[in-house]
């Protein structure tokens, strides 16, 4: 079966392609390379023995999307990662986020709607919950007003998918991730942020390797045990495996509703200072960091109730925070030639 992975050379997309190919799927990857690199294809090939078909294509180009689907009418499923994903950047440049995250989704769904049946996995986010009132967060937690344009694009995206699935032959699973970290244990692929990292772990590893002078910790006056924000950090390989399970659920027509929603996390919250301490333990070195002002768009705490994914999908995160940080550090050392 042929599966399309949009944003396929990105962090989560590339790890998901590895898992798909390991399970025997044929993969076409689309990416505009705005936040990724062609070298990722070689990493995927080294791990799986097979290079996915790759198309450099910007999904904001409606005509290009139409032409792609005309030429590839035998696609059995789509996993849609392609999106901009940095909370801080979205606050500074909201229109970039609305164009890149909403228009691209609409153009892909327009093409899928023309098919007799279509299976669509959407890369969503725990950001849709905003600052949830109760921890851990279940899929039934109220959707709060978005704190950032990025979060808003995920909320709007979910609403668009639900409305389209209602009136078409598209079946969809929305996967709400918590915080993906780590890299493939082979260190052949990993997170490759362009410029200054917007996420905590690549900033930590870049500071550890000496690329950054010190890590900024945004606020230590939050109402948490150590004053720093709490997140649910999930190993990217665990996350990738969940996508394959979700896709198979749709392909086998085991879904009970046209649109199903699952949280993907570990079920455990870790503070920024706890992540730093865990990194220091696995890397055996002290990390330079300083406390700075809070960052706009950040919430206090978010970690998942994963009962639904554990029970219905039969999926569970296997890796610990330390496992994930160890793999991220191994990847950082490899790409820096250390």
């Amino acid at each position: 079966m042929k599966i399309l992975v949009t944003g396929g050379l990105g962090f989560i997309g590339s790890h998901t392609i590895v898992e798909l190919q390991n399970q025997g799927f044929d993969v076409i990857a689309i990416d505009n390379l705005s936040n990724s690199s062609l070298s990722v294809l070689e990493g995927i090939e080294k791990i799986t023995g097979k290079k996915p078909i790759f198309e450099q294509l910007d999904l904001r180009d409606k005509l290009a999307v139409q032409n792609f689907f005309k030429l590839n009418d035998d696609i059995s499923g789509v996993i849609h990662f392609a999106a901009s994903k940095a909370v801080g950047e979205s606050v500074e440049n909201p229109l970039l986020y609305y164009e890149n995250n909403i228009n691209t989704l609409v153009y892909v769904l327009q093409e899928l709607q023309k098919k007799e049946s279509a299976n669509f996995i959407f890369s969503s986010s725990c950001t849709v919950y905003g600052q949830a009132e109760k921890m851990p967060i279940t899929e039934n937690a109220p959707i709060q007003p978005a704190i950032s344009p990025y979060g808003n694009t995920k909320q709007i995206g979910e609403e668009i998918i639900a409305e389209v699935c209602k009136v078409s032959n598209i079946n969809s699973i929305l996967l709400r991730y918590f915080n993906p970290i780590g890299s493939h244990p082979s260190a052949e692929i990993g997170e490759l942020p362009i410029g200054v990292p917007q996420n905590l772990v690549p900033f930590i590893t870049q500071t550890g390797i000496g690329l950054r002078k010190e890590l900024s910790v945004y606020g230590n006056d939050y109402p948490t045990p150590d004053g720093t924000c709490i997140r649910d950090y999930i190993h990217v390989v665990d996350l990738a495996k969940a996508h394959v399970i979700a896709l198979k659920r749709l392909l086998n027509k085991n879904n009970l509703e046209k649109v199903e929603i699952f949280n993907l996390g570990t079920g455990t919250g870790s503070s920024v200072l706890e992540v730093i301490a865990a990194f220091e333990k696995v890397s055996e070195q002290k990390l330079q960091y300083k406390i700075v002002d809070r960052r706009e768009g950040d919430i206090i705490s978010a970690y998942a109730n994963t009962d639904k994914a554990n029970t219905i999908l039969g999926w569970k995160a296997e890796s610990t925070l330390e496992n994930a940080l160890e793999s991220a550090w191994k990847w950082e050392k490899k790409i820096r030639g250390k």
Side-chain angles (χ1 to χ4, degrees), residues 126-138 141-144 147 178 299-303:
C126 64
T127 314
V128 301
Y129 298 116
Q131 181 54 69
E133 287 156 21
K134 282 186 192 165
M135 293 293 146
I137 302 169
T138 71
I143 302 294
Q144 305 281 2
I147 297 172
F178 281 67
I299 56 169
I300 302 160
S301 180
Y303 54 97

Short mmCIF file of all heavy atoms in Angstrom, two decimals, residues 126-138 141-144 147 178 299-303:
data_model
loop_
_atom_site.label_atom_id
_atom_site.label_comp_id
_atom_site.label_asym_id
_atom_site.label_seq_id
_atom_site.Cartn_x
_atom_site.Cartn_y
_atom_site.Cartn_z
N CYS A 126 -1.41 18.74 21.86
CA CYS A 126 -2.06 19.01 23.15
C CYS A 126 -2.29 20.51 23.35
O CYS A 126 -3.01 20.91 24.26
CB CYS A 126 -1.19 18.46 24.29
SG CYS A 126 0.41 19.28 24.44
N THR A 127 -1.69 21.33 22.47
CA THR A 127 -1.92 22.77 22.52
C THR A 127 -3.40 23.10 22.43
O THR A 127 -3.83 24.14 22.91
CB THR A 127 -1.19 23.47 21.34
OG1 THR A 127 0.12 22.94 21.25
CG2 THR A 127 -1.11 24.95 21.52
N VAL A 128 -4.19 22.22 21.80
CA VAL A 128 -5.63 22.52 21.64
C VAL A 128 -6.34 22.61 22.99
O VAL A 128 -7.39 23.23 23.10
CB VAL A 128 -6.36 21.49 20.74
CG1 VAL A 128 -5.75 21.45 19.35
CG2 VAL A 128 -6.38 20.10 21.36
N TYR A 129 -5.76 21.99 24.02
CA TYR A 129 -6.39 22.03 25.34
C TYR A 129 -6.10 23.35 26.07
O TYR A 129 -6.70 23.61 27.12
CB TYR A 129 -5.89 20.87 26.21
CG TYR A 129 -6.21 19.50 25.66
CD1 TYR A 129 -5.19 18.63 25.27
CD2 TYR A 129 -7.53 19.07 25.54
CE1 TYR A 129 -5.46 17.37 24.78
CE2 TYR A 129 -7.81 17.79 25.04
CZ TYR A 129 -6.78 16.96 24.66
OH TYR A 129 -7.07 15.71 24.17
N GLY A 130 -5.15 24.15 25.54
CA GLY A 130 -4.75 25.35 26.27
C GLY A 130 -4.25 24.96 27.66
O GLY A 130 -3.64 23.92 27.83
N GLN A 131 -4.53 25.81 28.64
CA GLN A 131 -4.20 25.45 30.02
C GLN A 131 -5.38 24.66 30.59
O GLN A 131 -6.35 25.24 31.06
CB GLN A 131 -3.90 26.68 30.87
CG GLN A 131 -3.53 26.33 32.31
CD GLN A 131 -2.37 25.33 32.40
OE1 GLN A 131 -1.25 25.63 32.07
NE2 GLN A 131 -2.66 24.10 32.83
N ALA A 132 -5.30 23.36 30.50
CA ALA A 132 -6.40 22.51 30.97
C ALA A 132 -6.58 22.68 32.47
O ALA A 132 -5.63 22.94 33.21
CB ALA A 132 -6.10 21.06 30.63
N GLU A 133 -7.83 22.52 32.92
CA GLU A 133 -8.14 22.72 34.34
C GLU A 133 -7.70 21.52 35.18
O GLU A 133 -7.39 21.66 36.35
CB GLU A 133 -9.65 22.97 34.51
CG GLU A 133 -10.05 24.36 34.03
CD GLU A 133 -11.52 24.44 33.63
OE1 GLU A 133 -12.30 23.58 34.07
OE2 GLU A 133 -11.87 25.38 32.89
N LYS A 134 -7.71 20.32 34.57
CA LYS A 134 -7.38 19.11 35.33
C LYS A 134 -6.23 18.36 34.67
O LYS A 134 -6.14 18.31 33.45
CB LYS A 134 -8.61 18.17 35.36
CG LYS A 134 -9.68 18.55 36.34
CD LYS A 134 -10.73 17.45 36.35
CE LYS A 134 -11.99 17.91 37.08
NZ LYS A 134 -13.11 17.02 36.80
N MET A 135 -5.37 17.78 35.50
CA MET A 135 -4.28 16.92 35.02
C MET A 135 -4.51 15.50 35.55
O MET A 135 -4.98 15.36 36.66
CB MET A 135 -2.92 17.42 35.54
CG MET A 135 -2.49 18.75 34.99
SD MET A 135 -2.14 18.68 33.24
CE MET A 135 -2.69 20.33 32.80
N PRO A 136 -4.14 14.44 34.84
CA PRO A 136 -3.70 14.47 33.45
C PRO A 136 -4.86 14.79 32.51
O PRO A 136 -6.03 14.66 32.89
CB PRO A 136 -3.16 13.06 33.23
CG PRO A 136 -3.90 12.21 34.21
CD PRO A 136 -4.17 13.08 35.40
N ILE A 137 -4.55 15.20 31.28
CA ILE A 137 -5.56 15.67 30.33
C ILE A 137 -6.14 14.50 29.55
O ILE A 137 -5.40 13.72 28.93
CB ILE A 137 -4.92 16.69 29.35
CG1 ILE A 137 -4.31 17.88 30.11
CG2 ILE A 137 -5.95 17.17 28.34
CD1 ILE A 137 -3.44 18.79 29.26
N THR A 138 -7.46 14.36 29.58
CA THR A 138 -8.13 13.34 28.76
C THR A 138 -8.59 13.97 27.45
O THR A 138 -8.63 15.20 27.32
CB THR A 138 -9.36 12.75 29.47
OG1 THR A 138 -10.39 13.77 29.50
CG2 THR A 138 -9.05 12.30 30.88
N ALA A 141 -11.31 16.62 27.68
CA ALA A 141 -11.06 17.93 28.31
C ALA A 141 -11.55 19.03 27.37
O ALA A 141 -11.42 18.91 26.14
CB ALA A 141 -9.57 18.11 28.58
N PRO A 142 -12.14 20.09 27.93
CA PRO A 142 -12.65 21.16 27.06
C PRO A 142 -11.52 21.79 26.24
O PRO A 142 -10.40 21.91 26.71
CB PRO A 142 -13.22 22.20 28.04
CG PRO A 142 -13.25 21.54 29.38
CD PRO A 142 -12.34 20.36 29.35
N ILE A 143 -11.85 22.15 25.00
CA ILE A 143 -10.91 22.89 24.16
C ILE A 143 -10.97 24.34 24.61
O ILE A 143 -12.00 25.00 24.50
CB ILE A 143 -11.31 22.76 22.66
CG1 ILE A 143 -11.34 21.29 22.23
CG2 ILE A 143 -10.38 23.58 21.79
CD1 ILE A 143 -10.02 20.59 22.23
N GLN A 144 -9.86 24.83 25.12
CA GLN A 144 -9.81 26.20 25.65
C GLN A 144 -9.49 27.19 24.52
O GLN A 144 -8.92 26.79 23.50
CB GLN A 144 -8.70 26.31 26.71
CG GLN A 144 -8.81 25.33 27.84
CD GLN A 144 -9.85 25.73 28.88
OE1 GLN A 144 -10.53 26.73 28.73
NE2 GLN A 144 -9.98 24.93 29.92
N ILE A 147 -4.02 29.96 23.06
CA ILE A 147 -3.11 30.96 23.64
C ILE A 147 -2.17 31.50 22.57
O ILE A 147 -1.61 32.57 22.72
CB ILE A 147 -2.33 30.33 24.82
CG1 ILE A 147 -3.32 29.92 25.92
CG2 ILE A 147 -1.30 31.27 25.39
CD1 ILE A 147 -2.71 29.12 27.05
N PHE A 178 1.87 15.25 22.82
CA PHE A 178 2.39 16.10 23.87
C PHE A 178 3.78 16.57 23.38
O PHE A 178 3.85 17.19 22.32
CB PHE A 178 2.29 15.39 25.22
CG PHE A 178 0.84 15.51 25.72
CD1 PHE A 178 -0.21 14.87 25.05
CD2 PHE A 178 0.52 16.34 26.78
CE1 PHE A 178 -1.53 15.04 25.45
CE2 PHE A 178 -0.80 16.51 27.18
CZ PHE A 178 -1.82 15.86 26.53
N ILE A 299 2.08 27.69 28.52
CA ILE A 299 1.16 27.33 29.59
C ILE A 299 1.96 26.75 30.75
O ILE A 299 3.13 26.44 30.63
CB ILE A 299 0.08 26.33 29.10
CG1 ILE A 299 0.74 25.08 28.51
CG2 ILE A 299 -0.86 26.98 28.11
CD1 ILE A 299 -0.21 23.96 28.26
N ILE A 300 1.28 26.60 31.90
CA ILE A 300 1.97 26.16 33.12
C ILE A 300 2.31 24.67 33.03
O ILE A 300 3.45 24.27 33.23
CB ILE A 300 1.08 26.42 34.36
CG1 ILE A 300 0.72 27.90 34.46
CG2 ILE A 300 1.78 25.95 35.63
CD1 ILE A 300 -0.51 28.18 35.33
N SER A 301 1.29 23.87 32.72
CA SER A 301 1.45 22.42 32.86
C SER A 301 0.59 21.68 31.85
O SER A 301 -0.54 22.10 31.56
CB SER A 301 1.05 22.02 34.28
OG SER A 301 1.17 20.64 34.47
N ALA A 302 1.14 20.61 31.27
CA ALA A 302 0.35 19.76 30.37
C ALA A 302 0.96 18.36 30.33
O ALA A 302 2.10 18.19 29.94
CB ALA A 302 0.32 20.34 28.95
N TYR A 303 0.19 17.38 30.81
CA TYR A 303 0.61 15.98 30.60
C TYR A 303 -0.64 15.13 30.38
O TYR A 303 -1.74 15.47 30.80
CB TYR A 303 1.50 15.44 31.72
CG TYR A 303 0.99 15.55 33.13
CD1 TYR A 303 0.37 14.47 33.74
CD2 TYR A 303 1.17 16.73 33.86
CE1 TYR A 303 -0.08 14.56 35.05
CE2 TYR A 303 0.72 16.83 35.17
CZ TYR A 303 0.10 15.75 35.76
OH TYR A 303 -0.34 15.84 37.06
#
